[in-house]
Amino acid sequence: MTRRRLLSWVMLIAVFSAGCGVRPSGVIRGGPAPTGPAEGTPLYFLTGSSLTLVLRPKSRPLWPTQILTLLQNGPTDDERTANLTSEVPAGLDPVDVTTDASGNVDVVVSADVRTLSTTAVDQIVCTIRDAMPNTAAVTLTSGTASRGPLSCPLGR
Amino acid sequence: MNPAARLLGEARSLRTRLLLAFTLLGVSTAVLVAGVDYVQARDVILQKTQDTAVQTLTARIETLPGLGATPPNQAELEEISGRLSDRDDTAIAVYRDRRSAGGLDTLPPELRAAVREGNVVWQRVSVAGHPVLVIGTQLRLTRPGGATPLPSGLEIYSVRSLDPEQLSIGRLAARAWLTGAVALIFAVLLALLAGRGVLGPVRELRRATNRLGKGDLTARARVRGTDELADVARTFNNTAEMLERHVGDLRRMESEARRFVADVSHELRTPLAAMTAVTDVLDDEAQRLPGDAGRAARLVSEETHKLTRLVNDLIEVSRFDTGTATLVLDDVDVAEAIRATLRARGWSDDVETDLPVGVVVRLDPRRLDMIIANLVSNALRHGEPPVSVRAHGRPGRLDIEVSDGGPGLAPDVLPQVFDRFYKADTARARSEGSGLGLAIARENARLHRGDLTAANRSPAGAAFTLHLPRPDSEPGDVR
């Protein structure tokens, strides 16, 4: 009897104290995160095996082949310290990037596109997509070999 | 049983119960109302603060200049944080392991995990005992052509102290407590008021009941109003009235019966006096009468004497019953008086005495003589020797004990031995006495404000003790 009475008092006090003041809460979810414009040139490198967007400062507009060259050159020292890597080979050597009226982009490179890893292809496809507005699909070509049409797995 | 009901059960007085019930009701209502009010107000305050802080932060983030380069270096992070901070909020810009200085030392891990899901999230945490709101969000990059924005990898956290809200919520709580306290005071006042309304009639009823219990049959309760308590008072009054009537009837009947006995006794006295005179003559003649005629004359004489004694006893008893018996008080040396009684009846040789010398008590000597004579005569007649009379002076009273060495009184006889016409031995239907002797003796004792008690002594024998009060005796006046 005494124990039950004690318990009820403890519960009452607990209820009262729980209702008092500003208590810590769990995580409350709101609307979607805000957006802002990107000033730099977007490139896609890797964190582990997942694609990561990186912005490079842009002093003047660049041709898509120039952007691909930036990608081929790999992460800068600063980016490397942030654990960014790339699978795009140094011998990619972009030759030309053309687009037709329906937004199909053809990327011609010197390296054999068949030897490129899937992630390297994804890096190139995503970078091209961001470099050229209204891209529908990307095809990689080297000589007679080609891969695609492909599209970027991120932010479809 | 819950504690409240148990408390109510334990509380004896009606006032306490009323007080408790009212207080519980008042306080629980106030707590409920004020509590709900408080909780709602608190939630509204917190929600408003949080929503405003979230809106301010997202609006500010959207006005940031375009992101030029990622990963940002430390200086860039500090710059973003500086742009988003103000007096109330401290922003923290985070890119992976890098973060701007200031704000919280460690961000809540569950918040960081939730930020990566792409929504604005927030959480209240306690930092060194102070409530703090932490809002977290990613910065997503807009893309041309309305394509889905992509996470830039930059996360913004904003830390805001909730101390002002804590303060105003504390004020709310204080107000809720104050409401409770006022409700408590009101409840107590109301309970006292209601208690007076209920307890007044109850007290009145109790007083009347007490008076009735003490024998005042005229006691009545005042009937006020038409509620249940008034009903009870009315019922009580009816009962008291009935009781008064019945007791009155009984008393009248009893006094009529007693008067009848007194009248009969008185009426019998005159013829008996004449008969006694005649039997005196008969007694003289009886010796000379032969055979049956002599025996008859002696029988008539004997029975006439018995009848005279019975009538005298009846007259004595009816004097007690009508309250006309009076004491003729005198300062009497008890030892002397008892010896005189024994001497006058010729019992001096048959009775042992143990009487203190010089104990003088103010009493009616005639009645003391009657009591002692009755007790000693009973002892001599029904008991066995040795019969003894002992007196013990005690502070404030005098005990005179008459005892014998007989078989004593049967246990079922003891309580009835002073009843009128009670005969211990039913087989001995006709005894010497009238059957009123002990009753009269006790009435005499009580007339002296004393008493007469009967007991058995070990190992054997009956003992009758006369207790007489001695109001003016000193404590040292003990044998």
Side-chain angles (χ1 to χ4, degrees):
Chain A
M1 219 48 164
T2 328
R3 186 180 294 179
R4 203 183 295 174
R5 181 189 280 190
L6 192 77
L7 200 74
S8 58
W9 277 114
V10 167
M11 272 171 64
L12 201 72
I13 289 167
V15 164
F16 267 102
S17 59
C20 275
V22 179
R23 316 295 305 167
S25 72
V27 174
I28 306 164
R29 285 174 172 76
T35 54
E39 285 291 314
T41 305
L43 300 179
Y44 285 86
F45 288 123
L46 297 171
T47 309
S49 61
S50 63
L51 290 169
T52 306
L53 177 69
V54 163
L55 294 176
R56 284 283 172 81
K58 177 166 67 175
S59 46
R60 58 188 169 86
L62 296 172
W63 294 108
T65 46
Q66 289 176 304
I67 295 172
L68 284 181
T69 309
L70 284 179
L71 188 67
Q72 171 189 330
N73 291 342
T76 61
D77 289 347
D78 192 34
E79 287 162 355
R80 254 192 287 277
T81 55
N83 291 324
L84 289 169
T85 56
S86 176
E87 287 192 11
V88 178
L92 182 74
D93 293 337
V95 178
D96 193 16
V97 177
T98 55
T99 179
D100 63 11
S102 55
N104 288 314
V105 179
D106 192 24
V107 179
V108 182
V109 295
S110 309
D112 187 351
V113 293
R114 284 167 300 190
T115 59
L116 292 175
S117 68
T118 326
T119 32
V121 171
D122 282 344
Q123 277 182 270
I124 296 164
V125 169
C126 290
T127 305
I128 285 296
R129 182 201 61 180
D130 282 9
M132 302 179 72
N134 309 319
T135 303
V138 178
T139 310
L140 296 184
T141 318
S142 56
T144 54
S146 72
R147 285 175 83 163
L150 301 158
S151 58
C152 176
L154 276 184
R156 236 186 289 272
Chain B
M1 205 199 258
N2 63 39
R6 194 139 29 84
L7 258 175
L8 284 180
E10 278 167 8
R12 286 286 171 79
S13 104
L14 202 55
R15 183 192 295 270
T16 319
R17 273 154 67 178
L18 271 172
L19 208 63
L20 265 174
F22 268 81
T23 310
L24 275 176
L25 180 70
V27 170
S28 53
T29 310
V31 162
L32 210 66
V33 172
V36 168
D37 201 24
Y38 163 77
V39 168
Q40 275 184 349
R42 179 194 65 177
D43 290 352
V44 165
I45 287 178
L46 284 179
Q47 198 172 349
K48 196 162 163 248
T49 307
Q50 288 164 188
D51 289 354
T52 310
V54 168
Q55 274 170 15
T56 311
L57 182 70
T58 42
R60 279 208 194 117
I61 289 173
E62 275 163 358
T63 60
L64 280 178
L67 205 54
T70 56
N73 58 32
Q74 190 65 35
E76 283 162 340
L77 287 176
E78 297 293 352
E79 196 205 329
I80 293 169
S81 135
R83 279 175 185 277
L84 295 174
S85 298
D86 65 6
R87 198 163 48 92
D88 295 331
D89 307 278
T90 310
I92 307 167
V94 179
Y95 190 89
R96 295 176 181 236
D97 304 335
R98 272 180 220 161
R99 53 160 287 179
S100 64
L104 281 183
D105 291 338
T106 43
L107 292 162
E110 67 265 32
L111 190 71
R112 285 212 67 175
V115 160
R116 293 192 189 111
E117 289 166 18
N119 282 354
V120 183
V121 293
W122 59 93
Q123 186 178 15
R124 289 192 304 273
V125 294
S126 178
V127 178
H130 290 274
V132 165
L133 176 68
V134 187
I135 308 168
T137 182
Q138 290 177 330
L139 172 62
R140 293 185 305 164
L141 294 176
T142 46
R143 287 167 53 221
T148 317
L150 283 176
S152 65
L154 185 68
E155 292 169 10
I156 309 289
Y157 293 87
S158 175
V159 181
R160 169 187 279 227
S161 167
L162 289 175
D163 278 338
E165 284 71 24
Q166 171 96 302
L167 202 68
S168 41
I169 286 167
R171 263 190 231 115
L172 277 180
R175 207 177 58 190
W177 283 115
L178 192 70
T179 312
V182 170
L184 181 69
I185 293 169
F186 262 113
V188 167
L189 283 179
L190 275 176
L192 289 178
L193 215 64
R196 185 181 294 178
V198 174
L199 291 175
V202 169
R203 207 175 296 131
E204 164 101 24
L205 207 55
R206 190 180 58 194
R207 201 170 50 233
T209 315
N210 270 342
R211 271 171 57 200
L212 191 71
K214 281 176 185 152
D216 180 5
L217 295 178
T218 61
R220 297 286 183 276
R222 197 142 39 98
V223 179
R224 278 187 297 200
T226 51
D227 59 3
E228 286 84 345
L229 284 170
D231 269 352
V232 173
R234 212 170 289 121
T235 310
F236 171 83
N237 286 349
N238 291 342
T239 311
E241 208 169 291
M242 293 284 283
L243 202 60
E244 192 183 8
R245 200 160 55 232
H246 285 312
V247 170
D249 287 350
L250 284 174
R251 279 185 184 152
R252 200 160 47 249
M253 282 158 68
E254 196 193 359
S255 76
E256 274 166 11
R258 282 181 176 170
R259 201 163 57 240
F260 179 72
V261 171
D263 291 349
V264 167
S265 310
H266 274 284
E267 291 303 321
L268 285 174
R269 209 146 71 156
T270 319
L272 267 178
M275 283 169 74
T276 309
V278 172
T279 52
D280 287 347
V281 180
L282 266 181
D283 280 346
D284 293 342
E285 296 294 323
Q287 275 104 34
R288 268 169 280 154
L289 283 173
D292 285 349
R295 268 205 299 283
R298 275 196 295 278
L299 191 65
V300 167
S301 164
E302 223 169 84
E303 292 300 320
T304 306
H305 280 297
K306 271 191 189 168
L307 188 59
T308 310
R309 214 158 39 229
L310 175 62
V311 168
N312 283 338
D313 281 356
L314 277 174
I315 290 169
E316 190 74 28
V317 162
S318 62
R319 276 200 197 113
F320 286 117
D321 287 347
T322 53
T324 50
T326 49
L327 285 173
V328 184
L329 291 174
D330 201 354
D331 287 328
V332 176
D333 184 320
V334 173
E336 280 302 314
I338 291 171
R339 284 204 191 88
T341 300
L342 298 178
R343 212 165 32 240
R345 286 168 178 76
W347 294 331
S348 299
D349 298 335
D350 306 321
V351 178
E352 295 172 8
T353 55
D354 179 3
L355 304 167
V357 181
V359 175
V360 177
V361 179
R362 192 160 179 81
L363 48 73
D364 185 334
R366 186 183 71 88
R367 294 187 190 277
L368 178 67
D369 175 69
M370 280 173 72
I371 297 167
I372 300 296
N374 177 267
L375 294 180
V376 173
S377 120
N378 280 347
L380 288 172
R381 209 181 309 144
H382 302 302
E384 279 165 33
V387 174
S388 61
V389 179
R390 291 192 187 81
H392 311 273
R394 293 175 199 281
R397 71 175 218 246
L398 175 75
D399 293 344
I400 301 168
E401 185 197 77
V402 177
S403 58
D404 65 66
L409 298 157
D412 56 325
V413 171
L414 264 179
Q416 289 164 302
V417 80
F418 295 108
D419 289 358
R420 290 172 188 181
F421 295 116
Y422 182 80
K423 295 232 166 46
D425 189 354
T426 43
R428 201 180 55 205
R430 289 188 51 78
S431 72
E432 291 287 313
S434 63
L436 290 169
L438 278 174
I440 291 171
R442 188 160 70 164
E443 292 293 350
N444 273 320
R446 288 184 174 168
L447 202 60
H448 283 93
R449 297 178 188 284
D451 202 3
L452 185 59
T453 54
N456 278 323
R457 287 199 322 182
S458 66
F464 287 82
T465 312
L466 171 66
H467 309 276
L468 290 174
R470 281 201 300 170
D472 50 357
S473 76
E474 288 155 31
D477 190 13
V478 180
R479 195 183 85 137

